[in-house]
Amino acid sequence: MPLSIRNLSYSVNGRRILKNISLEVKDGEFLGLMGPNGSGKTTLLRCIMRYLTPEDGAVLIDSTPLHTMKEKELARLFAVVPQSSNLDFSFTAYDIVMMGRLPYANSRFMGESESDAQAVREAMERTDTWKFSTRPFNSLSGGERQRVIIARALAQKPRILLLDEPTVFLDLSGQFEIMDLLRDLNREGLTIIAVLHDINLASRYCERIALLNEGRLESLGTPDQVFTPENIMRIYDLDVIVRRDPVTNSISVVPKSACIISSSSERPRVHVLCGGGSGGEIMRLLLDEGYSVSAGVVNVLDSDFESAKALHIPVVMEVPFAQIGDEAHAQNLRAIESAEAVVLSDFPVGPGNLRNLEAAAWAQENEKKVFIIDPENAEKRDFTGGRAKDIIGELLRHGAIGVRRKAELVSALRKEKKIE
């Protein structure tokens, strides 16, 4: 069941987000959609899902335009796995997976059939989630929740599985667990199209890569063909070494530099703990008000890394999509040591960047003033099973200052005489 994307364009408020994209996805292929933040990856996926309507071009399956198909028919062909899934209701894991059977219901008031129950059990056994089928969904770990959502998708009996950054909030073991599962499903014949950020993971698991930049399809081919030093420098503005992993035989990309960029200034220094695009506005605000600014730890290729580079801000870096390591953490603490204040931005916290919160706690222990952006919603950003929320709570109890909106940060800083 091949999928065709033909001359597809999409705009928002007159700005072109996708520009004349054309590609073919073969039946049974594992295709990775890659590119910098803002390149159009997720927008393209949403056009395939039919969540967005292209202004030009079309998406076809078996030569049939998707816009001519009924919703129920579409739901039997495609299943979607979003970035994250937090629910306010106390559904069990089984309930969540049973939702995947809705495309097969003749009436919304009908109960589950024997075939529904069988499909759900098969999907949960295939994803190793049957053992906690009766547990509340929100009590599960991030990796367990993601496997349940994949089970829900499998219960739909789709031909094509669409995933938007399926490993984004998982630790390293969780990432490989999910990607191993997807590879096995693909080998069984399921076509997979996944938005991914991690070049090394994509190289290991994807058959082909579609590399986007500024809404254009810049390169399409195998990981070896796409992830060249020249392409990565051109698209990501990053100087890398590309080598082959001797164990997996897949492409491995390593930045040539991943250390703190030094800077000196007589102005009061504020260190921003950020990531995921949460720090750019803060860094600009502080610079505009005359503060000296540093940032960390952010992964190379993160949009906050790009913001820091563009603003010429000293930044502690970690290699792309890796957990914060000992060296980067130590550099982060040294940067904090030379600052008068620390700002903890409102980034989603997973196992990979939890050390940024630990750095904020270290700053407070060493008598640095800590400011926390939007602490009231810390729980919504916590993908660590409550550890991040607990650290933020301790920070507030020991004198950290909560700031509801980023625009209010400067006035909060000015109230502290040492950092005016």
Side-chain angles (χ1 to χ4, degrees):
M1 185 169 286
L3 180 88
S4 299
I5 300 169
R6 297 182 183 173
N7 305 313
L8 191 141
S9 296
Y10 180 79
S11 297
V12 175
N13 297 325
R15 185 170 70 90
R16 276 287 176 99
I17 308 299
L18 296 175
K19 303 169 185 175
N20 200 34
I21 302 287
S22 292
L23 64 90
E24 303 283 329
V25 183
K26 297 176 291 184
D27 195 20
E29 183 174 12
F30 195 147
L31 178 72
L33 300 179
M34 303 284 296
N37 290 331
S39 60
K41 306 180 298 295
T42 297
T43 301
L44 178 57
L45 193 72
R46 288 174 178 169
C47 287
I48 298 172
M49 296 172 185
R50 216 170 71 176
Y51 292 174
L52 299 175
T53 303
E55 64 178 50
D56 291 310
V59 181
L60 304 94
I61 188 158
D62 274 349
S63 302
T64 302
L66 292 192
H67 70 267
T68 66
M69 301 173 70
K70 295 180 180 179
E71 291 290 342
K72 187 171 287 190
E73 183 183 8
L74 202 65
R76 294 181 181 184
L77 293 175
F78 293 93
V80 177
V81 176
Q83 277 189 20
S84 61
S85 301
N86 287 321
L87 299 171
D88 294 330
F89 302 100
S90 56
F91 291 111
T92 66
Y94 183 91
D95 294 333
I96 297 295
V97 179
M98 183 57 73
M99 293 176 188
R101 299 301 297 166
L102 288 176
Y104 297 90
N106 293 322
S107 166
R108 69 181 63 185
F109 303 108
M110 288 180 63
E112 65 184 63
S113 67
E114 185 177 337
S115 61
D116 290 334
Q118 181 179 348
V120 168
R121 176 144 193 167
E122 288 175 356
M124 298 192 79
E125 288 178 344
R126 184 65 190 81
T127 54
D128 196 28
T129 55
W130 182 254
K131 58 191 176 186
F132 45 77
S133 61
T134 59
R135 284 175 55 190
F137 178 75
N138 284 340
S139 73
L140 303 177
S141 70
E144 290 169 340
R145 284 200 299 267
Q146 197 69 321
R147 283 192 284 131
V148 168
I149 296 303
I150 293 173
R152 181 182 67 183
L154 295 181
Q156 287 180 231
K157 302 290 186 182
R159 297 292 303 275
I160 300 175
L161 184 61
L162 306 172
L163 304 102
D164 188 6
E165 298 185 46
T167 64
V168 66
F169 296 120
L170 305 181
D171 60 19
L172 281 177
S173 63
Q175 291 175 28
F176 284 110
E177 180 183 349
I178 292 300
M179 294 304 292
D180 282 345
L181 171 61
L182 295 178
R183 179 180 57 191
D184 292 344
L185 293 170
N186 175 247
R187 287 173 174 173
E188 293 167 9
L190 184 63
T191 302
I192 295 178
I193 304 173
V195 171
L196 299 168
H197 265 109
D198 189 324
I199 291 175
N200 294 328
L201 269 184
S203 297
R204 181 168 177 170
Y205 290 95
C206 295
E207 181 181 349
R208 286 197 305 160
I209 303 294
L211 183 61
L212 279 69
N213 187 39
E214 296 181 349
R216 295 185 179 88
L217 179 61
E218 295 285 352
S219 185
L220 177 65
T222 65
D224 306 56
Q225 294 168 334
V226 172
F227 295 136
T228 64
E230 296 77 16
N231 275 347
I232 293 173
M233 173 60 79
R234 181 168 55 89
I235 302 299
Y236 293 100
D237 191 25
L238 186 66
D239 195 12
V240 299
I241 299 169
V242 177
R243 60 194 182 196
R244 189 168 293 281
D245 189 297
V247 176
T248 65
N249 200 38
S250 61
I251 290 295
S252 176
V253 175
V254 181
K256 289 184 178 178
S257 175
C259 59
I260 189 165
I261 306 166
S262 61
S263 176
S264 60
S265 174
E266 297 301 319
R267 298 175 296 170
R269 167 70 63 85
V270 178
H271 186 71
V272 182
L273 297 165
C274 54
S278 66
E281 180 184 352
I282 295 170
M283 290 185 265
R284 284 191 294 271
L285 279 171
L286 293 173
L287 286 177
D288 289 346
E289 293 298 324
Y291 290 96
S292 173
V293 182
S294 59
V297 176
V298 294
N299 292 98
V300 175
L301 306 184
D302 189 295
S303 57
D304 280 342
F305 171 72
E306 299 298 330
S307 296
K309 274 204 321 178
L311 296 168
H312 306 289
I313 286 172
V315 59
V316 180
M317 300 179 282
E318 184 55 270
V319 298
F321 316 106
Q323 296 192 57
I324 296 174
D326 292 341
E327 181 182 351
H329 183 59
Q331 291 172 347
N332 207 25
L333 299 187
R334 288 196 292 272
I336 288 171
E337 198 169 18
S338 65
E340 281 72 40
V342 172
V343 175
L344 185 63
S345 70
D346 51 342
F347 55 88
V349 183
N353 62 354
L354 184 65
R355 271 186 147 177
N356 271 344
L357 269 63
E358 294 171 356
W362 183 90
Q364 191 175 67
E365 290 168 5
N366 286 270
E367 300 183 348
K368 305 290 183 182
K369 203 65 185 176
V370 176
F371 297 80
I372 304 174
I373 304 296
D374 190 24
E376 291 85 357
N377 289 306
E379 187 173 4
K380 294 180 180 178
R381 304 190 297 270
D382 184 357
F383 296 90
T384 65
R387 293 166 66 195
K389 178 189 172 188
D390 291 344
I391 292 174
I392 289 174
E394 282 297 306
L395 288 168
L396 292 168
R397 280 189 288 275
H398 288 88
I401 297 172
V403 180
R404 291 181 60 192
R405 298 185 300 119
K406 293 172 184 176
E408 299 170 2
L409 175 62
V410 171
S411 61
L413 283 164
R414 285 176 175 165
K415 291 178 182 178
E416 300 297 317
K417 298 299 182 184
K418 291 182 180 179
I419 46 180
E420 282 186 313

